Amino acid sequence: MIYFDNAATTLQKPESVARAVLEAMTSFGNPGRGVHEPAMAASRAIYDARCALARLFHGENPARIAFTANATQALNTAIKGILNPGDHVITTAMEHNSVLRPLYELAERGVELTILPADKQGRVAYESLEAAIQSNTRAIVCTHGSNLTGNLVDMGKIGAIAKAHGLLLVVDASQTAGVIPIDVEKMNIDILCFTGHKGLLGPQGTGGLYVREGVAVRPLLTGGSGVQSHSKTHPIQMPTVLEAGTLNAHGLAGLNAGVRFLLETGIDTTRQKELDLMWTFYESVKTIPGITVYGDFSHRERCPIVSLNVRDYDSSQVSDALFSQYGIATRPGAHCAPLMHEALGTGSRGAVRFSFSHYNTMEEIEFAVSALRELAREE
């Protein structure tokens, strides 16, 4: 099998990730719930993961990293934890449903919502962002990179706009954490939400959020914390305030290993290979008669994603054929990004997404291009 569905989850992981999970499964107790060695081993691994992520994101303090089960939980925590009825929030048509649905829910409760449109290449005009700011605007919530087109958002530019107007900036880094360099200080990011099982090369069931010092987020969940057990209220200190219940220490040990691999190897190194693979694929398929490619390819820097359609086939037909006839794994459909599909004009049939990892090879790219040529020729 050739795996080109890395934007959904990375299949190939460093060997150290699997080894760390296995070792954790046989040695960890409950983190923060005891001073015996199994409990302390779990606590140390979780702290190490915080340190690795703070280093990766250039955060000022590991305690500002709180863990969740995934980016969806992190985004729900951030969005619902900072907005109140009467607030105004700005987002974009590039967003995943993990941003859109919590915002729609809050809009029914009195939060005013503005969604900036995207053009036919999936781009949002930055000038429209500044024009949408109102006196009651509280936050900007946006993706760093589209999971459908691979288009990147200029987070430095958006961060500067947010800072100039005193707004909170919440960023969905699901597609960029571990893939694109992120500096939360330089980009003026107040809350960065990430998942562990994609570019960070960790296990599923891991994720979290970075919260800038001085930014308060109401917890989505309250309950056991391992500390202040006699208090009727949940602790307010980071990261405990956002981590009710037992953390996935086994998974976080694996996430720590994945992040450490990236820090040691260098994101620039893995990224260069991913971009080389993506651009080779794009340049090869864009001229095949009957194939339509979506997104803005005017800049080299982007997520390693190419989404396309073949003639007038439904995307699921093409994806099924790629797997059943050629053993190529891709992702068809709507990709939980309905507004982006509306902008691209692909709402009725979706698109076939190819997403690449540094574990892929040029030989796999060549085989996939050949397969698409054959499918595009079929009558």
Side-chain angles (χ1 to χ4, degrees):
M1 181 188 70
I2 298 175
Y3 189 80
F4 288 143
D5 196 17
N6 293 282
T9 197
T10 47
L11 179 63
Q12 292 94 347
K13 315 278 188 183
E15 183 182 343
S16 58
V17 173
R19 186 168 60 247
V21 174
L22 179 59
E23 291 175 357
M25 290 291 291
T26 58
S27 62
F28 281 6
N30 197 320
R33 272 72 169 179
V35 294
H36 50 75
E37 178 53 28
M40 295 302 292
S43 294
R44 284 193 294 268
I46 290 172
Y47 180 71
D48 285 347
R50 295 192 210 279
C51 291
L53 286 160
R55 180 181 165 194
L56 184 69
F57 299 142
H58 299 272
E60 75 277 12
N61 182 355
R64 304 308 295 181
I65 301 284
F67 290 117
T68 61
N70 44 53
T72 298
Q73 184 180 344
L75 285 161
N76 272 263
T77 299
I79 292 168
K80 296 177 181 178
I82 63 171
L83 294 173
N84 300 295
D87 288 340
H88 173 240
V89 60
I90 301 170
T91 192
T92 79
M94 296 175 67
E95 308 308 314
H96 189 277
N97 276 335
S98 54
V99 168
L100 294 174
R101 285 174 174 168
L103 288 175
Y104 291 149
E105 184 181 337
L106 290 181
E108 295 180 353
R109 302 179 186 177
V111 172
E112 189 177 351
L113 173 62
T114 295
I115 302 176
L116 303 179
D119 65 16
K120 292 183 178 180
Q121 289 184 298
R123 301 171 300 189
V124 172
Y126 296 105
E127 58 270 21
S128 66
L129 170 61
E130 196 147 20
I133 296 172
Q134 305 173 174
S135 60
N136 63 331
T137 304
R138 168 71 170 157
I140 299 168
V141 183
C142 69
T143 187
H144 187 196
S146 169
N147 74 316
L148 176 56
T149 64
N151 294 355
L152 282 181
V153 171
D154 187 339
M155 205 49 65
K157 184 175 292 187
I158 291 189
I161 293 172
K163 184 176 182 180
H165 292 271
L167 307 178
L168 293 176
L169 176 57
V170 180
V171 175
D172 176 7
S174 296
Q175 293 300 327
T176 57
V179 178
I180 309 291
I182 295 174
D183 189 320
V184 292
E185 293 296 321
K186 290 182 179 179
M187 294 176 173
N188 294 301
I189 296 172
D190 294 293
I191 304 176
L192 181 78
C193 300
F194 59 89
T195 192
H197 67 99
K198 299 185 182 184
L200 293 176
L201 304 175
Q204 295 175 0
T206 62
L209 61 165
Y210 155 85
V211 181
R212 182 185 294 278
E213 193 80 43
V215 175
V217 178
R218 289 187 303 272
L220 186 68
L221 303 172
T222 58
S225 60
V227 296
Q228 302 177 24
S229 295
H230 292 286
S231 173
K232 292 182 179 180
T233 59
H234 198 71
I236 61 172
Q237 298 82 11
M238 279 286 292
T240 311
V241 62
L242 302 181
E243 292 182 341
T246 297
L247 291 175
N248 177 11
H250 306 126
L252 294 175
L255 176 59
N256 182 41
V259 176
R260 298 281 175 184
F261 170 86
L262 291 169
L263 290 171
E264 292 166 8
T265 305
I267 283 184
D268 289 342
T269 299
T270 55
R271 174 159 180 69
Q272 186 60 52
K273 182 174 182 185
E274 290 167 355
L275 283 175
D276 288 346
L277 293 168
M278 187 224 72
W279 279 107
T280 298
F281 180 80
Y282 168 73
E283 294 293 345
S284 299
V285 301
K286 71 175 184 178
T287 57
I288 297 176
I291 287 186
T292 303
V293 179
Y294 305 98
D296 178 11
F297 289 84
S298 61
H299 305 282
R300 176 171 171 80
E301 292 301 308
R302 61 193 329 281
C303 294
I305 291 171
V306 177
S307 291
L308 54 81
N309 274 315
V310 178
R311 297 195 181 277
D312 59 352
Y313 299 130
D314 187 86
S315 62
S316 62
Q317 291 178 284
V318 177
S319 189
D320 287 348
L322 284 168
F323 189 71
S324 62
Q325 298 177 34
Y326 304 96
I328 299 172
T330 58
R331 169 78 185 274
H335 311 89
C336 301
L339 300 184
M340 183 57 81
H341 276 285
E342 288 181 17
L344 300 177
T346 52
S348 62
R349 61 174 177 158
V352 182
R353 183 183 68 192
F354 290 75
S355 49
F356 307 101
S357 161
H358 61 276
Y359 286 107
N360 290 125
T361 67
M362 281 297 179
E363 290 75 17
E364 291 175 334
I365 296 294
E366 293 169 2
F367 183 76
V369 171
S370 176
L372 284 169
R373 284 200 179 99
E374 290 181 9
L375 291 176
R377 282 200 301 265
E378 291 181 0
E379 295 298 334

